[in-house]
Amino acid sequence: MRTHFCGLIDEALVGQTVALCGWADVARDLGGLCFIDLRDHEGIVQVVAEPDAGSAGNAAVVATAAQVGYEDCLRVTGVVRRRQSVNNRIATGQVEVVAQSIEVLNKAQPLPFHAHENAGEDIRLKYRYLDLRTPKMQQMMRTRTRLVQALRRWLDARGFQDIETPILTKATPEGARDFLVPARMHAGEFYALPQSPQLFKQILMVAGFDRYYQIARCFRDEALRADRQLEFTQLDMEFAWVDEQVVQDTTEALIRDVFREVMDVELAAPFPRMTYAEAMRRYGSDKPDLRIALELVDVAEQVKSSQFKVFTDWAGAEGGRVAALRIPGGASLSRKQIDEYAAHAAKYGSKGLAYAKIDEAGVVNSPIAKFFDEAAFTAVLRAVGAGHGDIVFFGAGPYNVVSDFMGALRLKAGKDFNLVAEGWAPLWVTDFPMFEWDDEEQRYVALHHPFTAPAVDDEADLRANARTAVSRGYDMVLNGNEIGGGSIRIHRSAMQSAVFELLGIGAEEAEAKFGFLLDALKYGAPPHGGIAFGIDRIAALMAGTESIRDVIAFPKTTTAQCLMTGAPSPVPDKQLAEVHVSIRARHKE
């Protein structure tokens, strides 16, 4: 139906006859002279229908052009010529196509939103096919395609094997809820959709495949936000006979080369490295955005002699923290704006936010100053590096809670005060804790997952020092986003059993859920490790959008719905009976 793409018409085609197919992006009737901006996935070209083109049928062409509406589906045949008025805003702006025939292949009804307006996300997702048709979304999806192609080329060239792993598998705990699929041929039993191919890729290492990768679809039944979806795509990788340095060096080279190919961006070489403990201390986050120079400062020593009980209680408490954040120029914040910062911190666990403003004359305004003698409060501000025109926020409480809400304030301040530097800031975060203590369940939980190797080789040592144990886990961070996470895995059955035990997974439960893995580790499993990269997150960063929904063709909303298809939806009782499922009570709005 076509000989060329709209967005690829250039001066080399001047004088040639071309056939184009696309949508009418703009149609203008200037009283017998008609212009149509014809658009396909490659771009836009201007089509002209004019009465004096020398064709006997030209009046009919002009008449057809005059009736063309927004997003009508067209086929145009015409001759390429140079434009008298050049349009430098589009790639084809040097030329235009003089129409010899215009065929309306499908007339578009009035659209629910216009591609050139800022429509709300709900209506964009309901009519996703129209949203995806827009140049902005076309470009974002093409960026994702180029990313995946570049990843595959790099890995294929270096001997990684692309191996598919099951979608219907066994339910195993990996930190989020499983999606369950009833097994029709096994009444009362269920498959689970994989949260990741973790166990299969480890078993592939036992099976001798050495270097594996997969562009894998994964599923997690968890709350959604801008950077999470119920179903997502990751680049899954595993290596045999390696330590963490080999995995990190290889995958760092992969990401650096892919960014160079897809974005023409040179990332730092090598990526800086930072321990988890240092990241939390300095930035309040295990995925710090290094483009923001602001850092947290511990001030427990400076405040422990004050009369402010909130500070003194936590300054001397085991596992407590008193931290300060200086914001240059922050003294300009009004009391209402300070309250907004306090409300933002409360979302991350803060029970109160103290502050001190230093005006341009050096006068200190702070509701907590009265709890200090002047010299002591001056010492606190000096420790933070506060100067004229600054504001200092203070947080006190359990170490992790304070780190979380002060880290969130740091990000907000960075954006609000335009303190986010241009460019790309990659980072490796290493030496994660092996476990976290869950006060509610009174047991340890794995910080990464239960198959991550501890830094110690002895099971007795791990049991004796579980609270302070460090793992061999590592995350790749880019501009404050965790784009990849991995670890060296446990490759000995005895150590894996010890970790299960510390996580409260008894021998019987471990055998029922992970017996196949424990068995595999007994038969000469090599040391191995790997990583998984979030394709959606990397594509979103490359496309310059904050939401991964913009780089997923058919995403779910934050309420876990597909507005276009109406999923999830009820299932007829007959179909439920076939898979031996009954609904006890339907939820009603």
Side-chain angles (χ1 to χ4, degrees):
M1 293 186 72
R2 62 187 173 193
T3 61
H4 296 78
F5 294 114
C6 298
L8 301 183
I9 301 299
D10 59 20
E11 290 179 284
L13 296 172
V14 169
Q16 295 186 30
T17 299
V18 297
L20 308 174
C21 293
W23 290 274
D25 192 73
V26 175
R28 305 179 299 279
D29 180 2
L30 304 183
L33 179 65
C34 298
F35 294 91
I36 300 168
D37 287 350
L38 192 66
R39 186 191 73 247
D40 63 15
H41 69 283
E42 289 287 1
I44 290 175
V45 68
Q46 178 171 279
V47 174
V48 183
E50 52 191 22
D52 57 347
S55 170
N58 212 63
V61 173
V62 173
T64 301
Q67 299 301 313
V68 168
Y70 176 59
E71 290 300 292
D72 283 356
C73 185
L74 308 177
R75 181 176 184 269
V76 174
T77 301
V79 177
V80 180
R81 75 180 180 191
R82 287 185 174 84
R83 289 179 61 157
Q84 290 184 342
S85 57
V86 172
N87 182 357
N88 291 319
R89 292 175 297 175
I90 58 175
T92 62
Q94 301 286 334
V95 295
E96 60 190 6
V97 176
V98 181
Q100 294 175 331
S101 68
I102 297 176
E103 182 182 357
V104 179
L105 301 175
N106 201 349
K107 190 76 178 171
Q109 297 296 312
L111 272 63
F113 66 92
H114 197 290
H116 302 289
E117 67 185 18
N118 188 22
E121 187 176 53
D122 280 359
I123 195 166
R124 288 174 52 215
L125 292 180
K126 182 175 181 180
Y127 299 96
R128 187 61 165 178
Y129 40 87
L130 297 178
D131 188 38
L132 288 171
R133 196 188 289 175
T134 62
K136 178 181 178 181
M137 290 302 300
Q138 287 278 320
Q139 183 58 42
M140 287 189 177
M141 295 304 297
R142 290 179 74 131
T143 297
R144 181 189 179 108
T145 297
R146 290 197 303 272
L147 166 62
V148 173
Q149 289 173 337
L151 291 169
R152 285 193 182 278
R153 278 194 296 269
W154 198 96
L155 293 164
D156 291 342
R158 288 160 180 80
F160 284 83
Q161 258 183 283
D162 182 0
I163 302 175
E164 295 177 348
T165 54
I167 293 295
L168 294 176
T169 183
K170 187 180 182 69
T172 57
E174 285 197 42
R177 293 184 182 90
D178 287 316
F179 278 103
L180 299 177
V181 180
R184 181 181 61 82
M185 292 183 289
H186 300 273
E189 297 182 356
F190 295 81
Y191 301 104
L193 302 183
Q195 295 186 34
S196 81
Q198 181 63 45
L199 298 184
F200 289 104
K201 68 179 180 178
Q202 287 191 239
I203 288 174
L204 286 170
M205 297 304 101
V206 180
F209 284 97
D210 201 85
R211 285 189 166 198
Y212 142 95
Y213 87 94
Q214 182 182 184
I215 306 295
R217 295 291 286 170
C218 303
F219 308 84
R220 294 181 185 176
D221 189 2
E222 58 185 352
L224 304 190
R225 54 182 191 237
D227 65 344
R228 286 191 180 174
Q229 283 280 295
L230 299 179
E231 52 182 315
F232 56 95
T233 306
Q234 66 185 36
L235 167 61
D236 207 54
M237 300 175 65
E238 199 77 4
F239 309 64
W241 316 103
V242 293
D243 59 15
E244 41 269 77
Q245 192 68 46
V246 172
V247 178
Q248 290 169 20
D249 288 348
T250 303
T251 55
E252 180 178 317
L254 162 66
I255 295 300
R256 190 182 298 110
D257 288 351
V258 165
F259 265 78
R260 183 183 301 117
E261 178 180 340
V262 177
M263 299 290 293
D264 196 24
V265 164
E266 289 291 338
L267 298 179
F271 293 178
R273 281 166 166 72
M274 184 181 299
T275 66
Y276 170 89
E278 182 183 357
M280 296 302 291
R281 175 176 57 81
R282 293 173 61 187
Y283 303 108
S285 171
D286 61 1
K287 49 179 186 295
D289 190 341
L290 299 187
R291 297 174 303 166
I292 302 172
L294 305 178
E295 294 191 23
L296 308 184
V297 178
D298 286 312
V299 293
E301 286 298 315
Q302 289 81 5
V303 304
K304 64 183 180 182
S305 60
S306 74
Q307 302 301 309
F308 191 43
K309 193 172 185 304
V310 174
F311 281 3
T312 56
D313 284 353
W314 287 108
E318 183 181 357
R321 185 177 195 186
V322 184
L325 175 67
R326 165 186 165 264
I327 303 175
S332 61
L333 290 174
S334 66
R335 182 52 195 262
K336 179 182 177 182
Q337 290 171 315
I338 291 172
D339 289 343
E340 289 172 354
Y341 270 75
H344 185 72
K347 296 176 184 177
Y348 297 87
S350 169
K351 297 186 182 303
L353 194 65
Y355 69 91
K357 293 171 68 171
I358 305 95
D359 68 18
E360 294 296 344
V363 177
V364 177
N365 175 14
S366 173
I368 63 170
K370 62 187 177 183
F371 297 103
F372 296 77
D373 62 54
E374 186 175 348
F377 202 58
T378 299
V380 172
L381 298 179
R382 187 182 303 118
V384 182
H388 295 190
D390 295 345
I391 191 171
V392 179
F393 286 116
F394 299 91
Y399 192 94
N400 287 341
V401 175
V402 171
S403 299
D404 285 347
F405 72 73
M406 293 297 284
L409 284 185
R410 174 181 173 272
L411 294 178
K412 177 174 171 58
K415 293 177 181 178
D416 291 350
F417 286 85
N418 297 315
L419 299 175
V420 183
E422 293 293 326
W424 301 89
L427 172 71
W428 281 109
V429 178
T430 65
D431 300 332
F432 282 80
M434 186 74 184
F435 306 109
E436 288 182 305
W437 181 255
D438 189 315
D439 284 323
E440 186 175 330
E441 295 192 19
Q442 287 295 294
R443 69 176 184 90
Y444 289 115
V445 293
L447 192 67
H448 262 110
H449 55 58
F451 319 108
T452 297
V456 297
D457 290 327
D458 183 71
E459 296 90 63
D461 189 348
L462 179 65
R463 289 187 177 96
N465 300 287
R467 188 174 289 272
T468 57
V470 173
S471 79
R472 299 176 70 181
Y474 38 81
D475 284 355
M476 187 185 288
V477 176
L478 185 61
N479 291 4
N481 296 270
E482 177 206 328
I483 63 169
S487 67
I488 297 301
R489 322 302 188 188
I490 298 168
H491 71 283
R492 292 189 296 107
S493 187
M495 178 62 81
Q496 186 66 77
S497 294
V499 169
F500 285 155
E501 178 187 320
L502 287 165
L503 293 172
I505 301 173
E508 187 174 336
E509 182 184 0
E511 180 61 32
K513 291 182 175 179
F514 305 106
F516 64 97
L517 173 67
L518 294 171
D519 284 346
L521 297 181
K522 296 174 184 176
Y523 296 110
H528 59 283
I531 195 167
F533 288 100
I535 298 289
D536 309 308
R537 290 184 187 178
I538 297 174
L541 285 169
M542 287 181 164
T545 179
E546 294 186 357
S547 174
I548 64 171
R549 290 191 291 275
D550 288 335
V551 293
I552 297 173
F554 302 103
K556 304 292 187 294
T557 66
T558 53
T559 56
Q561 294 174 294
C562 175
L563 298 182
M564 186 182 76
T565 64
S569 58
V571 173
D573 290 340
K574 180 180 179 181
Q575 191 174 352
L576 289 173
E578 289 176 349
V579 292
H580 319 288
V581 170
S582 61
I583 306 296
R584 289 194 299 179
R586 291 188 183 273
H587 175 74
K588 294 183 179 179
E589 293 292 341

